[in-house]
Amino acid sequence: MYIKKADFIGGTNKLEDLPKTSHPEVAFAGRSNVGKSSLINSIVNRKNLAHISSNPGKTRQINLYTVEDKWVLVDMPGYGYAAVSKADRQQWSDMMKTYFLKRENFKMVCVLVDSRHDPMDSDLGMIEWLENNDLKYLVVLTKCDKISATAIAERKKQLEDFLQLCKNWVEVLPYSSVTGMGKNELVAIIKKNID
Ligand SMILES: Nc1nc2c(ncn2[C@@H]2O[C@H](COP(=O)(O)OP(=O)(O)O)[C@@H](O)[C@H]2O)c(=O)[nH]1
Ligand SMILES: [Mg+2]
């Protein structure tokens, strides 16, 4: 499936103001700067539908995009960014978790982890929280164009080992928004799990 149509439908930092549609939703979560906006742009084949920033922590709201008037992609605020206050981080984290637990059309979350580094406590904490709340998730290893095939395989194995006792994960998927690695697989996984 090649995605041709995608539209921004709204964004907010207040959950009660989040636009509602009748479409299934897939959310993208991860640390600031991990590559969420780039990944969203890459799967919808657009350069700047989702705002890309080299300034970490800038995306403070939940942004929604429709795809082919069928699905909704949900760009979550980045977590774990140290330069904002603890209270702000807590507020974003609470908002995200409330979304996952209460949002009617939410189907699955893609947790983005930077392939170049060991997963951080905030990454593992997110995964653990999703697992404990019985929510379906996919781990996406971002920026794989920056490391070797061997390093990609090692990182994938590391995450799979971590997930060994977990049951709600779909896959650990190597990805690059630059080369398109993993893109067709990701679209197929989304299609299979939320349609
Ligand atoms: N080389 C490479 N750089 C990437 C990739 N994805 C994102 N980036 C870069 O990483 C930075 C943060 O990306 P962004 O999508 O804004 O991250 P977000 O904060 O998670 O939304 C930007 O400078 C991007 O150009 C990727 O797959 N490969
Ligand atoms: Mg972003």
Side-chain angles (χ1 to χ4, degrees):
M1 173 183 173
Y2 183 89
I3 294 167
K4 289 197 207 84
K5 186 176 186 326
D7 302 284
F8 176 64
I9 54 172
T12 179
N13 54 15
K14 287 201 205 78
L15 216 44
E16 57 272 26
D17 296 339
L18 203 62
K20 286 203 171 83
T21 75
S22 55
H23 308 307
E25 295 182 356
V26 55
F28 296 86
R31 296 171 56 79
S32 297
N33 225 28
V34 72
K36 286 185 299 298
S37 300
S38 304
L39 179 145
I40 289 174
N41 286 333
S42 76
I43 61 176
V44 300
N45 304 297
R46 292 271 287 274
K47 280 214 155 53
N48 46 27
L49 178 69
H51 180 70
I52 296 181
S53 171
S54 47
N55 171 16
K58 214 174 158 190
T59 320
R60 292 169 189 207
Q61 50 178 42
I62 300 184
N63 291 306
L64 300 188
Y65 307 90
T66 50
V67 170
E68 305 288 3
D69 298 319
K70 262 180 77 173
W71 310 335
V72 173
L73 308 184
V74 182
D75 193 359
M76 288 289 171
Y79 47 75
Y81 183 53
V84 297
S85 74
K86 204 174 167 193
D88 277 352
R89 265 187 286 156
Q90 189 61 45
Q91 192 214 321
W92 300 342
S93 164
D94 290 348
M95 176 171 75
M96 183 164 63
K97 289 174 177 175
T98 306
Y99 166 90
F100 290 141
L101 294 173
K102 303 268 198 259
R103 182 79 165 174
E104 215 170 310
N105 293 333
F106 164 71
K107 299 290 180 197
M108 178 175 89
V109 54
C110 299
V111 180
L112 278 62
V113 175
D114 194 323
S115 66
R116 298 170 299 174
H117 311 293
D118 283 332
M120 304 191 66
D121 286 349
S122 54
D123 298 318
L124 299 178
M126 182 78 240
I127 291 170
E128 217 170 309
W129 186 88
L130 292 166
E131 183 66 34
N132 289 338
N133 285 279
D134 246 336
L135 298 167
K136 193 190 290 184
Y137 56 94
L138 169 76
V139 176
V140 178
L141 304 175
T142 63
K143 310 192 188 185
C144 280
D145 56 285
K146 295 210 171 194
I147 60 172
S148 70
T150 311
I152 295 171
E154 282 171 6
R155 182 69 65 211
K156 184 171 152 76
K157 172 84 168 55
Q158 180 192 31
L159 268 299
E160 286 169 350
D161 286 349
F162 175 79
L163 292 166
Q164 208 178 44
L165 298 176
C166 298
K167 54 187 187 333
N168 298 318
W169 59 292
V170 178
E171 201 171 319
V172 177
L173 181 71
Y175 200 90
S176 167
S177 299
V178 172
T179 66
M181 178 197 299
K183 182 169 118 173
N184 293 341
E185 291 91 327
L186 179 57
V187 173
I189 291 167
I190 293 173
K191 192 167 158 43
K192 186 173 160 204
N193 285 280
I194 82 170
D195 258 352

